[in-house]
Amino acid sequence: MISLFFLIIYMGSFMLMLLVLGIQVKCFHEIITIGYRVYHSYDLPWFRTLSWYFLLCVNYFFYGETVADYFATFVQREEQLQFLIRYHRFISFALYLAGFCMFVLSLVKKHYRLQFYMFAWTHVTLLITVTQSHLVIQNLFEGMIWFLVPISSVICNDITAYLFGFFFGRTPLIKLSPKKTWEGFIGGFFSTVVFGFIAAYVLSKYQYFVCPVEYRSDVNSFVTDCEPSELFQLRSYSLPPFLKSVLRQETVSLYPFQIHSIAFSTFASLIGPFGGFFASGFKRAFKIKDFANTIPGHGGIMDRFDCQYLMATFVHVYITSFIRGPNPSKVLQQLLVLQPEQQLNIYKTLKTHLIEKGILQPTLKA
Amino acid sequence: MNELRLRAVREPDAPPEDKESEPEAKVDGETASDSESRAEATPLVTSVDDTPEVLNRALSNLSSRWKNWWVRGILTLAMIAFFFVIIYLGPMVLMIIVMCVQIKCFHEIITIGYNVYHSYDLPWFRTLSWYFLLCVNYFFYGETVTDYFFTLVQREEPLRILSKYHRFISFTLYLIGFCMFVLSLVKKHYRLQFYMFGWTHVTLLIVVTQSHLVIHNLFEGMIWFIVPISCVICNDIMAYMFGFFFGRTPLIKLSPKKTWEGFIGGFFATVLFGLLLSYVMSGYRCFVCPVEYNNDTNSFTVDCEPSDLFRLHEYNIPEVIQSAIGWKIVRMYPFQIHSIALSTFASLIGPFGGFFASGFKRAFKIKDFANTIPGHGGIMDRFDCQYLMATFVNVYIASFIRGPNPSKLIQQFMTLRPDQQLHIFNTLRSHLTEKGMLADATEN
């Protein structure tokens, strides 16, 4: 599995997107199948169709929001795509409504409760798997490093906590998962922080990982080529006194991103396991050993990804709060939608602002 | 008569002894469907006559059937009067009312969940459900407040920090709730706890998001709030009236009281009502203007130049109708055309929200969501057709009416990096030049 991971990273961002989509669909399928078995509702009329239909609608909505942002230039060219983008929310809502009405019409007298349960089950599953996978893709577009470092931290924490628990494990951590121990937990925490630190250092050097993914219309493919932002440029930090004596160095040069990676690793080690406990509780509640039997020896895809649930949301929230400002292509896209008079007003305001800041030369003709 | 809901006199439903057999069914080894088949026989909530004493005395002479009719009628008028009073009091009060309705709806649905799963004694769960409600509300209100109270927020330092890191703070609060849930899982009650967790989240998804979309619509202008809600209420009442007088062919097995005659009659009546109401309301600025927060007076103001939508236009009537009515042109507000779309949605799709709620009540064997309003059931019973309407209006406004907010765009622009700003500026310039808005050679 780890080699498959490396292979896909090598093949590029587009393949990663497809992979994320594939995993999302498989996770959805696994959870829905569990729901069917729990409620013996495999024979319910329409329900399989409706679940997949809702998955399609929500994916359409999310992909439309993402695609519109990143493929702005491509979209401007095609007339039909422009129409789809402009009324995207309305079209998605209409599609969802059609599914909702089909659900209401499909209610059968003896099976009301079952049908409502499956409806709710589908929606909660969509909420968990589909939103997470789209946040993952948005993180990916920020730069592959925002995708790779968090996921590797979670995987590393899994593995090192297991190893520490295996060799030193004594005090159990939580009744839900009897195999987890405090020694594993704490050992995993420290090793993950160190691992994250080193992985961030190695990956920050390469433009391939660090640059936001952009779609170039001339080349018709994804390009990662840019001037690395401040986060990914080496800076010297002066060490606090006690570390100075230990390491015998005055300063150390680090990428600022490595400081962020400590935050990620901490989250992955401390809160990530709660996602795992949630999944364990879920399996125990519904009396299943594994989510599915897709991967021999490891269970289903969900078993491998259970700790990742919260990580993707955390990284996304972290990026929007601390790193990135608003998305420039989105701002541009919204600008182009405005009325011409409004555009002219904004243009004048922007020009005065830019000239004030010295970014634009006043002698430039308008 | 099927149409009348007999609430005044009612035998208590199935004997309470049946309920004792159910707790044994909730052992971990059971699958859900087994316990359900046992539960099918017993309804969960016995109904109670709760008409207020004063009405009881006034109506003691009438037979029970007409008494019920009068109770319903009086309460309907009371609710409509209440609606008018609130509109008069202004946007701030409306926001508070929406918030209270939301909390009450959440409470009703969660209580049903407790009753269904007999899980009222689960440790922590009541606290957790209310905690999640608080988190999601905090998140949504924060997003709204940041947009609309931008200047106020920038002035106060603590508010500024709260709004800058808003998403992170909300996420942290939610995470705490999530971790508390995981830590509260108790060995024998795993399944129940997961069910309640799922139930809480679906309820939040339905109730809280809708109420925030309602508030968004309200900020666009009170007319975007009043017209859709009135259309749904009107459709309810009209469909009932038409069904009462002309009803013959049943509409859907789920709600045997609804008829096709009621449905179609309600549709036409609602479209007409929507047209008239929007005509009346478009004349007043206090309904038509977006709600803004005025820094100096520290209150909400509705004062503006009415947009194009709310100015009378002249439309040529097509030939067909010209001969019928005898007028050549008609003066309408463009908003009335939109109101046709809103009324159509309210009459055709709104009832699906009602059927969904009926199916829900039938699935969980309850007569009404709660007994808050005598003769009408709970708050959810009154609002069940509104579920989809608020979302529709919001999507409609976002897609067809309002473009992006220019001042918000300028704010976002200011926070970008200089090279990004330059890039956007140049693209905008070439776009405007292409359109001919900017002359190439002259300084603008």
Side-chain angles (χ1 to χ4, degrees), chain A residues 39-40 87 97 112-113 116-117 278 281-282 284-285 322 326 328 334 338 347 350-351 353 360 364-365, chain B residues 33 117 165 190-191 194-195 254 345 356 359-360 362-363 400 404 409 413-416 420 425 429 443:
Chain A
Y39 292 112
H40 302 283
Y87 300 112
L97 267 190
Y112 289 148
R113 192 181 281 212
F116 271 94
Y117 277 153
F278 186 83
F282 182 82
R284 207 151 302 202
F322 297 116
Q334 288 183 314
L338 287 174
Y347 174 78
L350 294 185
K351 193 160 83 141
H353 170 80
L360 196 60
L364 259 182
K365 296 263 197 261
Chain B
S33 49
Y117 293 113
Y165 299 111
Y190 288 150
R191 190 180 283 208
F194 271 95
Y195 277 155
L254 209 46
F345 185 85
F356 187 83
F360 182 81
R362 206 150 304 204
F400 298 115
L409 277 182
F413 185 84
M414 300 302 179
T415 60
L416 288 173
Q420 292 171 319
F425 178 75
R429 183 170 62 170
E443 221 20 69

Side-chain angles (χ1 to χ4, degrees), chain B residues 63-116:
Chain B
S63 74
S64 61
R65 198 189 89 200
W66 284 106
K67 179 177 171 192
N68 173 62
W69 226 97
W70 273 105
V71 168
R72 277 203 96 180
I74 291 177
L75 260 304
T76 309
L77 288 175
M79 288 196 288
I80 294 181
F82 185 62
F83 189 47
F84 279 118
V85 167
I86 299 177
I87 294 175
Y88 178 71
L89 287 175
M92 187 71 190
V93 178
L94 266 173
M95 265 176 70
I96 297 180
I97 296 286
V98 169
M99 175 100 191
C100 293
V101 167
Q102 175 210 100
I103 294 180
K104 191 73 181 69
C105 288
F106 184 78
H107 176 69
E108 285 180 6
I109 301 184
I110 292 289
T111 314
I112 292 175
Y114 290 147
N115 288 336
V116 168

Side-chain angles (χ1 to χ4, degrees), chain B residues 3 31 108 129 163 175 181 187 189 237 304 342 347 368 379 400 423:
Chain B
E3 296 90 356
T31 53
E108 285 180 6
S129 305
S163 94
L175 267 189
F181 170 71
K187 204 170 156 76
H189 302 292
I237 298 176
C304 67
L342 296 177
S347 339
D368 289 312
I379 300 273
F400 298 115
H423 172 71

Side-chain angles (χ1 to χ4, degrees), chain A residues 19 49 54 77-78 119 122 135 196 204 229 259 331:
Chain A
L19 181 71
T49 325
F54 280 127
R77 277 188 309 190
E78 311 282 340
F119 185 76
T122 307
L135 293 178
S204 298
S229 85
I259 320 258
V331 174

Side-chain angles (χ1 to χ4, degrees), chain A residues 37-40 76 86-91 93 96-97 100-105 107 109-110 112-114 116-117 119-121 123-124 127-128 174-176 229 267 271 273-275 277-287 309-310 313-318 320-322 325-338 340-355 357 359-360 362-366, chain B residues 28-29 31-34 36 39-40 44 116-117 164-169 171 174-175 178-183 185 187 190-191 194-195 197-199 201-202 205 252-254 345 349 352-353 355-365 387-388 391-392 394-396 398-400 403-406 409-410 412-429 431-433 435 437-444:
Chain A
R37 269 191 271 136
V38 167
Y39 292 112
H40 302 283
Q76 297 293 64
R86 234 197 113 106
Y87 300 112
H88 176 67
R89 284 200 179 178
F90 192 73
I91 297 174
F93 183 63
Y96 177 80
L97 267 190
F100 183 83
C101 295
M102 287 312 304
F103 170 72
V104 172
L105 292 172
L107 289 172
K109 203 172 157 78
K110 288 216 180 309
Y112 289 148
R113 192 181 281 212
L114 273 183
F116 271 94
Y117 277 153
F119 185 76
W121 191 288
H123 278 70
V124 177
L127 195 72
I128 297 179
I174 187 172
K175 262 187 267 167
L176 259 182
S229 85
F267 185 85
I271 311 289
F274 277 92
F277 300 148
F278 186 83
S280 300
F282 182 82
K283 286 190 278 193
R284 207 151 302 202
F286 296 102
K287 307 241 166 286
Y309 298 159
L310 304 169
T313 321
F314 176 75
V315 174
H316 182 83
V317 170
Y318 192 89
T320 42
S321 302
F322 297 116
N327 186 2
S329 36
K330 190 158 193 174
V331 174
L332 184 60
Q333 187 214 8
Q334 288 183 314
L335 270 178
L336 293 173
V337 166
L338 287 174
E341 304 85 42
Q342 290 172 313
Q343 286 179 340
L344 203 55
N345 279 330
I346 293 187
Y347 174 78
K348 292 187 194 153
T349 320
L350 294 185
K351 193 160 83 141
T352 9
H353 170 80
L354 285 176
I355 292 179
K357 290 251 167 174
I359 301 173
L360 196 60
T363 51
L364 259 182
K365 296 263 197 261
Chain B
D28 252 1
T31 53
S33 49
D34 287 346
E36 265 131 53
E40 298 242 325
L44 289 158
V116 168
Y117 293 113
K164 197 167 142 107
Y165 299 111
H166 175 67
R167 283 197 180 182
F168 192 72
I169 297 174
F171 183 64
Y174 178 81
L175 267 189
F178 184 84
C179 296
M180 289 310 305
F181 170 71
V182 172
L183 292 173
L185 289 172
K187 204 170 156 76
Y190 288 150
R191 190 180 283 208
F194 271 95
Y195 277 155
F197 187 76
W199 191 288
H201 278 70
V202 176
L205 195 72
I252 189 173
K253 259 187 268 168
L254 209 46
F345 185 85
I349 311 289
F352 277 92
F355 300 149
F356 187 83
S358 300
F360 182 81
K361 286 190 278 193
R362 206 150 304 204
F364 295 101
K365 307 237 166 287
Y387 298 159
L388 304 169
T391 321
F392 176 76
N394 191 277
V395 170
Y396 190 87
S399 304
F400 298 115
N405 186 0
L409 277 182
I410 294 188
Q412 288 184 322
F413 185 84
M414 300 302 179
T415 60
L416 288 173
R417 291 196 309 257
D419 55 313
Q420 292 171 319
Q421 290 180 339
L422 204 55
H423 172 71
I424 292 184
F425 178 75
N426 286 329
T427 317
L428 185 63
R429 183 170 62 170
H431 175 82
L432 285 174
T433 319
K435 290 242 166 179
M437 303 279 308
L438 269 182
D440 268 318
T442 54
E443 221 20 69
N444 244 337

